[in-house]
Amino acid sequence: MTASLEPVPAPGASHPRDLLGRPLRDLRISVTDRCNFRCTYCMPKEVFGRDYAFLPHDQILTFEEIERVARVFVGLGVEKLRITGGEPLVRRNLPDLIAMLAAIEGPGGDELDLTLTTNGSALRALAQPLADAGLRRVTVSLDSLDDAVFGAMNGIDFPVARVLDGIDAALEAGLDPVKVNMVVRRGVNEDSVLPMAAWARDTGVTLRFIEYMDVGHSNGWRLEEVVPAADLAATIGAAWAIAPVGPAYRGEVADRWRYLDGRGEVGIISSVTRPFCGDCTRARLSAEGQFYTCLFAVRGHDVRGQVRTDPSDAALSAFLTDIWLGRDDRYSELRSEATNDLPKIEMFAMGG
Ligand code: SAM
């Protein structure tokens, strides 16, 4: 028998648990910090105008680097990869990356859950090439069916019809189920909640409402602008009878509600009023190769430096493991006046 030259991992190190006992199951990979939308709650155009300096190309991880990091993460227990940004579909040749990631064998030889979050604007052109490359499903962000409301929220007057056409293209390409995320901001798109729910009931997409969060610093977030999950459930429940459904798996972020008339489900992501840090198994890799252990982190860990100086996967694995073992983030449970001014990273830069 030939002896392995790879160092034997320390007990427990191959599936590390953090200081709060949480395993590493999901990796969100941002492939760009650029976006063609200027959503007021994420990347307002007053702050991110024409002269804003996005990352230069050489500072962004290459597809080969992303594949390597993802593969090492999978070795640590990651089962799900979500591609995000910025707007991931603006990264050139994205289907090539999807094909590389789809070829990674999941833990125990299973297929990885490989998905992507997008504003949908380029899905008509890219849904089929992405599906052909091995993407399994997709989540589309859409904040209203009303052009005036949606245009004001996306900051560039992008028409609803083009996103709906992108969703159709995703369904035609078999990227099923299509999930649709809607951020609800009080006084801005509350009136779109019921029309969106009615549309989702008719089309069969899985709709999830998201409480407006205090990510980054540019959106001028105020607690008064959050429509609490309980209010959203009451609004929907007043229109159609609903009943709660238990989570499909540990760590599921959406509270799920079932329509009693059999017309599917709706989810509500309540990161502000009912935080779910205790079950958070997510890691984030930014486009420039920073590893973040929380959406609200104030600093990342330099994976790009590690990847560009040390070719050994074992060293990279040990580097990532050490960071996860030391993780104690639970920002949303600690959110208060005292956390308001922490120097948080913008969501488009970290990866949403
Ligand atoms: N561009 C892609 C998209 O639109 O889905 C991916 C990146 S985007 C940052 C990911 C998700 O984060 C979107 O669903 C967006 O609505 C959500 N998001 C951004 N800022 C948010 C905030 N302040 N509160 C809640 N959700 C937010």
Side-chain angles (χ1 to χ4, degrees):
M1 207 166 86
T2 330
S4 164
L5 295 177
E6 285 287 299
V8 178
S14 60
H15 284 81
R17 284 180 178 260
D18 72 9
L19 292 171
L20 302 176
R22 299 167 296 188
L24 177 49
R25 292 269 181 265
D26 318 74
L27 177 64
R28 296 192 171 207
I29 302 172
S30 172
V31 292
T32 179
D33 59 339
R34 291 165 200 259
C35 188
N36 55 333
F37 282 17
R38 284 293 176 274
C39 298
T40 51
Y41 52 80
C42 185
M43 225 176 165
K45 58 174 174 256
E46 299 72 27
V47 183
F48 303 100
R50 280 186 191 287
D51 52 355
Y52 183 77
F54 289 98
L55 290 169
H57 198 66
D58 64 340
Q59 288 186 27
I60 289 185
L61 293 184
T62 64
F63 286 176
E64 288 70 23
E65 289 168 339
I66 292 173
E67 188 275 339
R68 179 176 161 213
V69 177
R71 190 167 29 77
V72 170
F73 264 111
V74 169
L76 297 177
V78 163
E79 298 162 354
K80 174 172 166 183
L81 300 177
R82 178 179 292 281
I83 307 304
T84 183
E87 171 48 41
L89 301 191
V90 306
R91 175 97 184 232
R92 241 193 272 167
N93 303 325
L94 190 67
D96 295 349
L97 174 67
I98 296 298
M100 292 162 75
L101 297 176
I104 300 175
E105 200 171 279
D110 293 341
E111 230 178 279
L112 284 175
D113 185 4
L114 181 56
T115 182
L116 176 145
T117 300
T118 172
N119 60 30
S121 58
L123 267 181
R124 171 50 66 193
L126 283 171
Q128 192 62 58
L130 290 167
D132 292 345
L135 190 71
R136 299 187 55 187
R137 54 199 182 83
V138 76
T139 298
V140 180
S141 306
L142 177 61
D143 297 328
S144 181
L145 292 173
D146 179 309
D147 264 324
V149 177
F150 184 53
M153 278 188 98
N154 66 49
I156 60 159
D157 281 328
F158 197 86
V160 173
R162 290 214 14 224
V163 180
L164 296 181
D165 186 46
I167 291 172
D168 286 343
L171 290 168
E172 288 158 22
L175 294 171
D176 211 7
V178 172
K179 289 187 180 167
V180 172
N181 282 350
M182 167 173 167
V183 176
V184 187
R185 193 169 179 178
R186 192 181 294 290
V188 181
N189 65 339
E190 272 168 296
D191 291 347
S192 299
V193 167
L194 285 180
M196 281 285 286
W199 166 77
R201 280 164 53 81
D202 286 345
T203 50
V205 304
T206 308
L207 176 64
R208 300 180 317 172
F209 296 104
I210 308 182
E211 287 180 346
Y212 173 41
M213 294 185 288
D214 51 338
V215 286
H217 284 286
S218 303
N219 58 18
W221 183 87
R222 289 178 305 122
L223 185 59
E224 304 81 80
E225 290 180 297
V226 177
V227 181
D231 293 9
L232 289 167
T235 302
I236 299 161
W240 303 279
I242 53 173
V245 187
Y249 53 90
R250 187 174 173 212
E252 188 174 43
V253 295
D255 285 335
R256 293 161 58 211
W257 296 84
R258 171 171 70 83
Y259 292 108
L260 294 184
D261 61 7
R263 301 278 289 281
E265 287 185 10
V266 62
I268 307 179
I269 302 179
S270 55
S271 129
V272 178
T273 62
R274 219 179 55 78
F276 36 81
C277 304
D279 274 341
C280 180
T281 56
R282 267 178 298 287
R284 290 182 149 82
L285 182 68
S286 75
E288 61 178 333
Q290 290 282 317
F291 170 19
Y292 293 100
T293 53
C294 176
L295 178 57
F296 300 93
V298 296
R299 64 176 283 260
H301 305 267
D302 183 18
V303 172
R304 187 186 63 200
Q306 180 72 30
V307 164
R308 291 188 180 173
T309 52
D310 191 333
S312 142
D313 286 352
L316 178 58
S317 179
F319 176 79
L320 300 175
T321 300
D322 273 357
I323 294 165
W324 194 261
L325 290 174
R327 176 188 193 239
D328 63 357
D329 309 74
R330 53 188 197 97
Y331 174 90
S332 293
E333 290 177 355
L334 304 174
R335 179 183 282 112
S336 67
E337 290 286 306
T339 57
N340 268 355
D341 296 326
L342 288 174
K344 287 173 277 162
I345 318 286
E346 297 296 337
M347 194 163 178
F348 74 85
M350 177 184 292

